Amino acid sequence: MPEDLELSYSPVVEMFEEGKAAIIRSGGSNVVAFQKEGEINAVFLPYFGQNGEEWLLTYPAFQVALNKDLKADKTRWDQALQVLRVMLSEEGQNALAKGEDVISYSQNVDMELSPALENLKSYIKQNHLYIRIASNDFFSVSKDVVSKMILGEYDAQQAYEAFDAQLKQPKASSSEIVMTLDREYSNEFHKKGGNASASVMANTLRGYYGSDVLVAPAYSFTGSILKADYTEKMVGCMVMPNSLESWQCEMTGAELTEYLKASVEGTEGGFMPFNRASLPTVSGISVEVQENNGKYALARVLKDGKALGADEIYSVTCLDTDVYMGKLLKHQNLLFEMGEARVRTAWTEYIKSGGTLAKPENYITLK
């Protein structure tokens, strides 16, 4: 139905969980989670082809890049190749999978699957796997043609032809400079202070959204801020291309503390911080985090050097993808309003209009 175009991912998953939707596009980990919870007897299905063949859509998760300068030193080059051989071996791939459901593209590697995904083995054996191509062009063109199919403007053949034509259309590129920075900020994480580059981004966006507090997961921003001239494309690339959204809500100090606790310590089925660099960035407040054998616990939250008032109201902006936000809020009674534009779009327009960057702050202390 046309109104389905306005739905984001989390509401669709909720409809499935409530029995209001018979089938959704999701991943194997969700099927396993549904069955573990015991509420839904979900089954992972392949994509069906017109000729009767069935194929699995896969997401590449193991990607490696080697510095070309390694070739100048044969010893280092041989050592790098040995590391790759170990990682690509059956033992190495199973170790990297860490018990998760992972499919190997190597036919000579056997990977264990959860009972919930046992029905996929025949497709893997036949090598009926295709790889998801992740790019902004694919996402935007797909949304356009599928939307028009839903609205009845395209049939399947017309959608395919439009998809092909749009991808082949040359894109106009602009080399116009929209921002010049005379200093740089590293994305190296420090136990006392955090990530300077991420702090600059978070502080700037908190000012843009006009909130008392901003919380951004580690997968919000792309890296160091450089001393350079930035084109519009470069500015956009400062924000991750992962459909990052902004969410606004008023919270009490107690509610904000619980939200931060979930962000720092992780949520079931959601993102689990796995090292220091994967901890969230905050702005407008500072946090103290206890580290213990790779696990993290929120110890204290301060605003202007003082503890949050449990009943005091704070305006909060949270950055997150639709998928993870739904997991984070599953057990919290908070009403968020999603921003009209995705964070990457809002950020780019802000900089293009002459917006300037805020300074970094020491936002975290790791103990």
Side-chain angles (χ1 to χ4, degrees):
M1 299 178 68
E3 55 265 31
D4 291 342
L5 295 175
E6 305 301 322
L7 291 173
S8 55
Y9 183 76
S10 292
V12 173
V13 173
E14 289 177 8
M15 291 168 61
F16 182 74
E17 291 174 333
E18 295 169 0
K20 297 177 181 178
I23 187 171
I24 60 171
R25 181 183 177 276
S26 192
S29 60
N30 295 79
V31 176
V32 174
F34 287 144
Q35 294 208 7
K36 280 184 178 178
E37 292 170 4
E39 299 175 0
I40 304 173
N41 186 22
V43 177
F44 193 86
L45 297 175
Y47 281 79
F48 305 109
Q50 290 180 332
N51 60 357
E53 291 187 340
E54 300 171 347
W55 291 75
L56 295 178
L57 171 63
T58 63
Y59 285 52
F62 173 48
Q63 302 168 49
V64 177
L66 295 181
N67 191 317
K68 64 180 181 180
D69 293 339
L70 284 171
K71 287 189 174 181
D73 186 327
K74 186 177 185 307
T75 300
R76 293 184 66 201
W77 176 250
D78 290 342
Q79 289 172 342
L81 292 182
Q82 177 59 22
V83 170
L84 280 182
R85 280 191 287 269
V86 172
M87 295 173 76
L88 293 171
S89 68
E90 180 170 328
E91 184 179 359
Q93 290 190 47
N94 275 288
L96 289 168
K98 296 179 180 178
E100 297 291 328
D101 285 289
V102 176
I103 294 172
S104 177
Y105 296 127
S106 301
Q107 285 290 310
N108 61 342
V109 172
D110 184 30
M111 306 286 284
E112 290 295 325
L113 291 176
S114 299
L117 301 180
E118 281 290 318
N119 66 309
L120 305 184
K121 284 192 172 180
S122 61
Y123 311 114
I124 299 170
K125 188 174 181 180
Q126 297 173 59
N127 201 27
H128 275 203
L129 313 173
Y130 64 93
I131 299 173
R132 173 207 193 216
I133 301 176
S135 75
N136 289 339
D137 289 342
F138 263 75
F139 296 152
S140 61
V141 174
S142 297
K143 182 177 181 180
D144 176 63
V145 299
V146 173
S147 296
K148 288 176 179 174
M149 287 183 70
I150 294 173
L151 294 171
E153 298 178 21
Y154 286 164
D155 58 24
Q157 183 62 33
Q158 290 171 320
Y160 176 83
E161 292 171 355
F163 186 89
D164 184 59
Q166 288 189 47
L167 284 181
K168 289 180 178 178
Q169 187 175 356
K171 291 182 65 178
S173 60
S174 172
S175 58
E176 179 185 355
I177 303 302
V178 297
M179 178 175 69
T180 298
L181 298 181
D182 57 6
R183 68 160 299 172
E184 59 188 27
Y185 300 95
S186 170
N187 71 332
E188 182 180 355
F189 183 90
H190 297 276
K191 288 180 65 174
K192 293 185 178 181
N195 180 325
S197 173
S199 180
V200 168
M201 301 287 289
N203 290 343
T204 304
L205 285 165
R206 180 169 66 88
Y208 171 80
Y209 290 114
S211 300
D212 298 324
V213 176
L214 182 138
V215 183
Y219 43 81
S220 299
F221 313 123
T222 53
S224 297
I225 294 175
L226 307 176
K227 181 180 179 180
D229 292 327
Y230 279 74
T231 63
E232 180 178 340
K233 182 177 180 180
M234 291 169 66
V235 167
C237 289
M238 297 171 79
V239 177
M240 286 291 285
N242 56 357
S243 304
L244 195 70
E245 306 279 6
S246 63
W247 312 76
Q248 284 75 43
C249 181
E250 288 196 341
M251 301 185 197
T252 64
E255 290 171 334
L256 176 55
T257 299
E258 283 302 306
Y259 183 87
L260 289 166
K261 181 179 174 68
S263 300
V264 167
E265 300 177 10
T267 53
E268 185 177 352
F271 182 76
M272 304 289 290
F274 52 90
N275 60 20
R276 297 172 180 181
S278 66
L279 290 167
T281 306
V282 297
S283 174
I285 55 174
S286 62
V287 295
E288 292 182 3
V289 175
Q290 190 72 41
E291 182 179 27
N292 184 19
N293 294 324
K295 300 291 184 180
Y296 301 94
L298 182 68
R300 193 159 65 141
V301 184
L302 301 175
K303 183 164 180 61
D304 301 323
K306 300 178 181 178
L308 294 179
D311 297 321
E312 192 169 344
I313 303 298
Y314 302 92
S315 61
V316 182
T317 293
C318 299
L319 310 184
D320 217 330
T321 62
D322 197 31
V323 176
Y324 280 137
M325 193 65 174
K327 298 290 185 182
L328 203 59
L329 297 178
K330 190 171 183 180
H331 304 294
Q332 297 187 19
N333 188 27
L334 294 171
L335 296 176
F336 277 89
E337 181 178 344
M338 189 170 72
E340 292 183 1
R342 285 182 171 167
V343 177
R344 174 176 271 205
T345 300
W347 171 263
T348 303
E349 292 305 314
Y350 168 75
I351 297 300
K352 282 176 60 181
S353 66
T356 57
L357 302 187
K359 295 180 179 179
E361 296 175 345
N362 294 332
Y363 64 86
I364 190 171
T365 300
L366 204 59
K367 296 184 174 182

